[in-house]
Amino acid sequence: MQKTLQIVIFDNPCPPDYGGVIDVFYKIKALKALGVRLILHVFYSERNQFTALEQWCDILYTYKRNKSFLQHFSILPYAVKSRSSEQLLTQLNNSDAPILFESLVSTSVLNSSKLKQQKLVRAHNIEHHYSKGLFKSAQNYIQKTAFYIEALKLKRYESVLDNADVILSLSDFETEYFKQHYTTSVKYLKIFQEHSKVISEKGNGTYALYHGDLTIADNIKSALFLIDVFSELEHPLIIAGRIIPDSITQKVSGFNHIKCEIIKDQSHLNQLIKEAHINTLYSFQKSGTKLKVFTALFKGKHCIVNKNMIDDANILSCCELAETLESYRVTVNRLFQTDFKIATTRIKALESYHPENLAKQLVEFIN
C-alpha cells in the first residue's frame, strides 16, 4: 500500500544550496523515488519560485512568511512566529496522512488539538543552542541582542516537542539531548545529502579551501580563524563565498598567498572543492551536523575538521582533526606533503549516508 506523508518546510528547498534545505530536498527526492506520496507545505520569503519543486510532490501548498518587525515582540520566537498560519492548520487537515515538521521553527501548529495525525519533527539543531552560538559569534551589538533574546524564546518554546510522536535527530549529541529532556520517542536519522558514492580524484591540489555562507556569524568567525592559521604558513588559501564581508577582505588584503573568491554557481564551487588539496573546515558552534563535511569527503581530497563539525566517529576517522591554531598549522603542513588517495575507510563510512537507505529508515517510522 502506498504511503502518504505531509511535510511542513521552513523554506523553499529548491535550489538545495544551503545547509538546512539540502537535507530537506534530498529527503524529498529519496522518498519520491520510493513511491511515497508527498504533500508539501512550504513557507517562503525571497525563494518564491516553485516550478522545480512541483515535480517532486503530489500536492504543494505555499505560505508567505510574515517577517514584519512587529513579530519580534511576540512571546513566540521570531523564527516560529513569522511562520505561523491558520491556513496551514486547515490544509494539514485536508489529509489524515502523518505530518513531518522540518525543524522546530516550522512547528507553530504542533500543539493544536485539531491535529490527530501522527506528528514527527526533524530537529535540524538544538535551536536555542544554535541561536546562542550566533549570539557569541556576532560582532554587531544589535545582532547580539536579537540572537540572545531569540535563544531565550526558543529554549522556552522547545517544550512544544512534547506534542510530537517522534523526534528525528541528526547527530549523536542531539539524540542524547532530546532523550534526556523529552519523553517523546527519539530516533537518530542521519542527514540527507546529494551523493551516493565518492567521486574524489586521487592526486594533489595546489591550494587549501574554505567555503561557506559568509553572511552567517559562525562562518565569518571560522574564516577569520583560518586566515590566522595560514598567516604564518606559505601554502595558498582560498576563502570562497557568494558574498564576502568586508571584515574578511580587509584581513586577507595583507597576504599574497590568501585570497577571496566569489562563488559564481554550484559548478564553480564543485570545481574549487575538487581541485583543492585540502578542504579546511571549522566551527565554533556545536550544533547539528555540518553538510560541508560530506561535500568535502564525497568530492574533495584531504579534509581537516574540528569536533564541532560532526560527531559521527566513523566520519571523523576519515578526516584530520585539529582544534587549535598550532595543531591546524601542523596538520596543514603535513598534508601538503602527502599525496591524496581515496581510503576504503572513507568509502565505507559514507555508505551509511546513502539517501535511499535513509529514506527507507524514515518510512519505517511513519504509521
Side-chain angles (χ1 to χ4, degrees), residues 80-97:
V80 177
K81 181 63 175 174
S82 63
R83 294 177 174 90
S84 298
S85 170
E86 291 185 10
Q87 187 182 19
L88 170 64
L89 184 59
T90 300
Q91 291 176 333
L92 283 170
N93 278 326
N94 287 338
S95 170
D96 60 1

Side-chain angles (χ1 to χ4, degrees), residues 4-26:
T4 300
L5 178 65
Q6 302 192 77
I7 308 179
V8 182
I9 308 172
F10 53 87
D11 196 5
N12 182 358
C14 287
D17 56 3
Y18 73 89
V21 297
I22 291 174
D23 177 67
V24 174
F25 177 79
Y26 290 105

